[in-house]
Amino acid sequence: MPLQMKLSAITLDCPDPLALAAFYQQATGLEPHPKSDADFAGLNREDGLLLGFQRVDNYRAPSWPDQAVPQQLHLAFDVADLDEAEARLLELGAGKSGHQPHEDRWRVLTDPAGHPFCIVRG
């Protein structure tokens, strides 16, 4: 019988937690955690999941798809329109990876701290 565990948080390392939280807040509409500060910031989802961002000195951004600095994790977000979502995320400060394995079905972007994430036609 599997252990009964519920995912409660996902935390990303970054150089500036408040800035990265602001990017994801604008992208997702999640509510900022009231105790967010310069060392740890969070966003709350209705079901209790916390998306967290913690300050790391000398942070090195992932170099995906090159593995010199591995991606460490990968987030994926369903969107209704890939082109519209991509354009808005780029306006918010995302980058677009030069490597796009299936651009017609999903897009690989990077957040302002360099973490790769995908937007997927939902």
Side-chain angles (χ1 to χ4, degrees):
M1 174 174 234
L3 184 62
Q4 297 297 310
M5 297 188 339
K6 178 183 175 186
L7 181 63
S8 60
I10 299 168
T11 301
L12 288 76
D13 292 348
C14 63
D16 186 341
L18 292 172
L20 197 54
F23 168 80
Y24 279 104
Q25 195 278 325
Q26 291 177 338
T28 65
L30 295 176
E31 292 296 318
H33 190 281
K35 294 184 179 179
S36 293
D37 62 30
D39 289 321
F40 187 90
L43 299 173
N44 295 320
R45 200 167 73 177
E46 290 177 2
D47 65 358
L49 181 68
L50 174 79
L51 184 56
F53 312 95
Q54 67 183 7
R55 176 181 303 284
V56 171
D57 293 330
N58 303 314
Y59 171 78
R60 291 179 31 194
S63 58
W64 186 90
D66 175 13
Q67 292 297 302
V69 181
Q71 68 182 359
Q72 301 147 18
L73 66 91
H74 187 96
L75 300 172
F77 299 92
D78 289 345
V79 298
D81 184 298
L82 284 171
D83 293 331
E84 182 180 315
E86 177 185 322
R88 178 66 179 132
L89 289 162
L90 293 173
E91 287 174 7
L92 293 174
K96 185 173 179 181
S97 173
H99 182 65
Q100 296 292 324
H102 296 282
E103 195 167 18
D104 58 325
R105 293 186 293 180
W106 68 78
R107 310 278 166 80
V108 182
L109 303 176
T110 56
D111 69 24
H115 302 105
F117 68 94
C118 284
I119 51 174
V120 181
R121 184 179 302 128

